[in-house]
Amino acid sequence: MPPQPPAALSLWSDTASQPPQTAALDRDITCDVAIVGAGYTGLHAALALAAAGLSPVLLEAADLGAGGSGRNGGVVSAKFRRSYPDLARQHGLETARRMYDIAHASVRHLQETLDRFDLADTGFRKSGALKCAHTDKAFARIKAETDWLENAFGSSAGRILSSDEVQEETGSSIFHGGILQDDAGTIHPLRYLHALAGAVTKQGITLHTRTPVQTLREDPTGVILETPGGRVRAAQVLLATNAYSSLTGASDTVARCLVPFRSAIVATEPLPDQLDRQILLSERSYTETHRMMRWFRKVDGRVLFGGRGALGAVDSPAAFRRLEKALHHTFPELRDLRTEYRWSGHVALTLDGLPAGGPPLAQCQLCRRVQRCRCRHVRLCRPPDCRDDDGPPRRTRPHSPGTPAQTALLPSALAWRKGGDVRLRTDGHAGIGCMAQATNPPVSVSLRDGD
């Protein structure tokens, strides 16, 4: 059996609810749709397929939560990495509006899912999100974007806060202003995953863990998936493998569309009462506008601080040290507190920052409804009321971001992005909206962002 990602020793794993009982596949089975990956994407897809009268089977390579769905920052948001004005300039106003509607519909879908399946133990709070500007120029940019959204879409995109108001909100004096967005919140990501998996099994949907799909091939009747314990024959297949698509060769088609990038989180010990009353009182999610995005939130009296910048397949002590340095710069009063948790995981980045999904082997972050795509043995999950032409047109990517040569270029790309904070100071983070990952919306798996 190929090596699987070990469970993250995190705040989430120490405070998670019990997952449903599952077992590895140990026999040959048949189904309508085989779903590879049991994170948010795969679980939502299974519920949608079952509601449509089909028989899905979920195949998870490791334990529940070993991938991004169990490691992320638990941020619920309605945005993509690319800004809506940027999308409108490149792909037209109608496409930007459709993506805006899809993003906000995904937040509603999360709430509807919690209500429909009575998923009470997830820690969800629709508390809003505050984007904090790290320079005056960044503040001017996010204000202009907010004005653009109101003028172009006729909707209230957020409330502009002064630097004093952001300081009152966060307890930090380093920010130059911010935008408070109401259609956002926070959640306990692993509790949510376990609750969602529980809903899947209660619906009678088959879920196998510790069942890596080693090979996948078509035959005249559908698709054959080989696992260590048995063979699955399916009419169609959905790959929901996200940034962990390189675990086996079965999901190489997805892996070639993505750059797996490591993102890390640190969590402090519980704050003393006085500090707890001074910092992050509203317990929202908070992001900075640095080019290399950082984010923070408070959970059970602890401050979580996360961001990207680590490379490689394992945790990076240097990345954790950089996060702790940034944490102490933002909140100097926390310097004497211990860091009790450090963990990380992979984020799936697309080369152009746009959602990616489709034939020949398709996966989608916004798995709400299933429509037939151009490959007769694959289905592509799409959001409610989503048309076939939703989103910007995509080009075929001939190269694999996961190849050794491209992986070797990541440090240079990372240095350029960090340098962008010094040279540009204007290109803030807008959440990674990649259909190849189950990150915002509805829940950020990019370790803040997850994003």
Side-chain angles (χ1 to χ4, degrees):
M1 181 180 295
Q4 304 305 316
L9 301 177
S10 67
L11 175 63
W12 307 138
S13 62
D14 278 358
T15 56
S17 53
Q18 285 297 312
Q21 289 190 342
T22 59
L25 180 66
D26 61 359
R27 65 192 186 282
D28 293 348
I29 59 174
T30 62
C31 62
D32 291 329
V33 183
I35 302 172
V36 183
Y40 302 140
T41 302
L43 294 171
H44 274 284
L47 291 170
L49 289 162
L54 298 172
S55 63
V57 168
L58 283 151
L59 305 171
E60 167 59 43
D63 291 317
L64 287 171
S69 295
R71 299 169 181 259
N72 66 88
V75 175
V76 179
S77 60
K79 58 188 179 181
F80 297 95
R81 184 174 190 276
R82 297 273 292 273
S83 72
Y84 294 109
D86 182 31
L87 291 171
R89 283 190 297 271
Q90 187 169 358
H91 302 288
L93 185 61
E94 182 182 357
T95 293
R97 179 62 201 234
R98 286 291 298 167
M99 294 182 73
Y100 177 87
D101 291 342
I102 288 168
H104 287 270
S106 71
V107 178
R108 294 193 299 272
H109 177 80
L110 169 63
Q111 295 175 276
E112 291 165 0
T113 299
L114 297 179
D115 293 340
R116 182 181 306 118
F117 297 104
D118 192 25
L119 309 183
D121 188 25
T122 65
F124 174 67
R125 297 178 69 245
K126 194 175 180 182
S127 50
L130 179 58
K131 183 183 293 187
C132 304
H134 69 293
T135 65
D136 286 335
K137 196 170 184 180
F139 187 33
R141 180 186 57 76
I142 61 175
K143 286 195 295 183
E145 181 180 334
T146 300
D147 292 340
W148 185 94
L149 286 169
E150 293 181 353
N151 293 331
F153 298 160
S155 59
S156 177
R159 181 161 64 90
I160 298 172
L161 302 186
S162 67
S163 58
D164 289 341
E165 289 173 313
V166 172
Q167 181 171 354
E168 183 178 354
E169 270 273 348
T170 63
S172 175
S173 62
I174 70 170
F175 300 112
H176 295 244
I179 304 295
L180 179 58
Q181 301 160 324
D182 293 328
D183 201 12
T186 58
I187 201 166
H188 189 302
L190 192 52
R191 285 186 185 176
Y192 175 49
L193 183 74
H194 287 172
L196 200 59
V200 163
T201 57
K202 286 178 183 177
Q203 295 292 309
I205 299 170
T206 300
L207 167 57
H208 290 291
T209 53
R210 302 189 181 187
T211 305
V213 176
Q214 297 170 307
T215 63
L216 184 158
R217 59 185 172 85
E218 290 189 65
D219 78 353
T221 62
V223 184
I224 298 175
L225 301 89
E226 300 285 356
T227 79
R231 172 179 294 174
V232 179
R233 288 184 174 273
Q236 305 195 32
V237 63
L238 171 68
L239 297 181
T241 45
N242 190 18
Y244 293 81
S245 296
S246 299
L247 290 180
T248 75
S251 48
D252 276 351
T253 305
V254 178
R256 285 195 293 269
C257 295
L258 307 173
V259 177
F261 201 84
R262 186 161 285 274
S263 191
I265 301 175
V266 297
T268 70
E269 65 179 307
L271 274 58
D273 289 343
Q274 182 177 356
L275 282 178
D276 194 32
R277 292 191 296 268
Q278 295 174 358
I279 292 176
L280 308 179
L281 295 180
S282 300
E283 298 191 3
R284 314 182 195 276
S285 66
Y286 305 84
T287 57
E288 300 179 1
T289 52
H290 287 91
R291 189 173 183 85
M292 287 299 294
M293 183 274 300
R294 294 194 291 262
W295 63 272
F296 46 94
R297 58 176 288 205
K298 190 161 67 174
V299 179
D300 297 334
R302 304 172 186 268
V303 173
L304 273 65
F305 204 92
R308 301 183 189 122
L311 301 172
V314 296
D315 287 340
S316 166
F320 292 134
R321 288 193 296 269
R322 287 194 296 270
L323 281 181
E324 290 170 9
K325 182 178 179 180
L327 166 67
H328 298 152
H329 172 69
T330 306
F331 301 107
E333 53 269 72
L334 302 185
R335 291 182 185 276
D336 294 332
L337 292 186
R338 298 190 315 276
T339 298
E340 289 199 343
Y341 293 93
R342 300 174 178 88
W343 73 96
S344 67
H346 282 118
V347 180
L349 301 178
T350 56
L351 299 183
D352 54 11
L354 289 173
L361 298 175
Q363 60 176 358
C364 175
Q365 138 190 22
L366 303 171
C367 44
R368 308 292 181 265
R369 189 176 71 189
V370 176
Q371 297 177 208
R372 185 174 293 277
C373 67
R374 292 187 294 276
C375 179
R376 67 187 179 95
H377 294 313
V378 181
R379 287 179 178 262
L380 170 64
C381 294
R382 290 191 181 273
D385 304 320
C386 190
R387 302 191 305 262
D388 282 341
D389 60 349
D390 272 328
R394 304 311 307 274
R395 62 180 178 274
T396 301
R397 294 185 179 86
H399 302 295
S400 168
T403 62
Q406 291 193 339
T407 302
L409 293 176
L410 280 175
S412 297
L414 176 61
W416 179 86
R417 291 184 62 80
K418 288 180 177 178
D421 287 336
V422 177
R423 296 190 300 269
L424 301 178
R425 297 282 188 179
T426 60
D427 186 11
H429 173 82
I432 292 185
C434 176
M435 282 189 177
Q437 70 181 72
T439 129
N440 59 354
V443 178
S444 192
V445 183
S446 58
L447 296 161
R448 72 161 193 96
D449 344 46
D451 176 32

